Amino acid sequence: EPEVTQTPSHQVTQMGQEVILRCVPISNHLYFYWYRQILGQKVEFLVSFYNNEISEKSEIFDDQFSVERPDGSNFTLKIRSTKLEDSAMYFCASSEREGTEAFFGQGTRLTVV
Amino acid sequence: AQTVTQSQPEMSVQEAETVTLSCTYDTSESNYYLFWYKQPPSRQMILVIRQEAYKQQNATENRFSVNFQKAAKSFSLKISDSQLGDTAMYFCAFMKLDNYQLIWGAGTKLIIKP
């Protein structure tokens, strides 16, 4: 069964460093998303991406964040100059077309120390 | 702005019992989608069930069913014959149809006891 895959499963980084979280969405899906879940809290929308551009972003998604689809299969989230409060689970999701359910990856746990 | 409220932070039932998780939402939209996602200890987010707001019939998926009350903006999840593997966090989510982003409730921790 096709699935969304995310790497790495756990990333530890020093405060101030840049990290790139990687996702491979399901191959025929056209819509891509990043969500964040700070431990024990609700899942928060970060950004949606369609047709090689950001279609929507939340207020959390400031200049520290960027997304890219570099090669037609990967979908990356870059976090520059990480802060302690960026520690969270980051989920990538994809959906086949508008209005359909999103399929989620297993998440990347980011720990900023 | 849309909001999703799950008023039960934690619930616990015996195996084989039926349990209902509540979810209410606030929106001025007339058409939208609603979802229940399950997040087991593995942390993956798994779709449980989906409901289109324009459909009056409640969605059902095996042991999982919803009670969708559009006028009351309520979307509860019923789990019948609960199993130990149902132990997880359950999140209710609302999907806007203008940008398809999901807006999430705070989650309900469900514990199924043997």
Side-chain angles (χ1 to χ4, degrees), chain A residues 86-97:
Chain A
D86 294 327
S87 294
M89 283 289 287
Y90 288 81
F91 290 100
C92 173
S94 69
S95 60
E96 186 176 359
R97 57 187 184 278

Side-chain angles (χ1 to χ4, degrees), chain A residues 35 37 56 91 98-99 102, chain B residues 33 37 39 43 50 99 102:
Chain A
Y35 289 84
Q37 185 185 31
E56 183 102 5
F91 290 100
E98 56 193 28
Chain B
Y33 296 139
Y37 278 88
Q39 188 182 42
R43 307 292 283 172
R50 156 199 166 111
N99 59 16
L102 290 168

Side-chain angles (χ1 to χ4, degrees), chain B residues 25-40:
Chain B
Y25 57 93
D26 187 25
T27 183
S28 58
E29 304 288 327
S30 59
N31 200 14
Y32 44 86
Y33 296 139
L34 295 162
F35 302 88
W36 279 98
Y37 278 88
K38 169 184 177 181
Q39 188 182 42

Side-chain angles (χ1 to χ4, degrees), chain B residues 31-93:
Chain B
N31 200 14
Y32 44 86
Y33 296 139
L34 295 162
F35 302 88
W36 279 98
Y37 278 88
K38 169 184 177 181
Q39 188 182 42
S42 68
R43 307 292 283 172
Q44 188 169 14
M45 204 71 76
I46 302 165
L47 176 68
V48 174
I49 202 163
R50 156 199 166 111
Q51 174 84 41
E52 289 95 339
Y54 63 85
K55 288 187 178 178
Q56 292 185 329
Q57 187 173 7
N58 288 324
T60 298
E61 193 71 42
N62 300 316
R63 297 183 295 109
F64 299 88
S65 61
V66 297
N67 183 4
F68 173 48
Q69 302 287 330
K70 190 172 183 180
K73 297 179 182 174
S74 171
F75 182 60
S76 60
L77 174 70
K78 185 170 86 170
I79 306 174
S80 303
D81 185 26
S82 57
Q83 300 174 358
L84 296 179
D86 296 333
T87 292
M89 285 290 291
Y90 286 80
F91 290 92
C92 177

Side-chain angles (χ1 to χ4, degrees), chain B residues 4-20:
Chain B
V4 178
T5 302
Q6 293 179 249
S7 58
Q8 304 148 312
E10 184 169 324
M11 295 187 73
S12 179
V13 298
Q14 294 292 135
E15 191 177 8
E17 288 183 349
T18 294
V19 60
T20 299

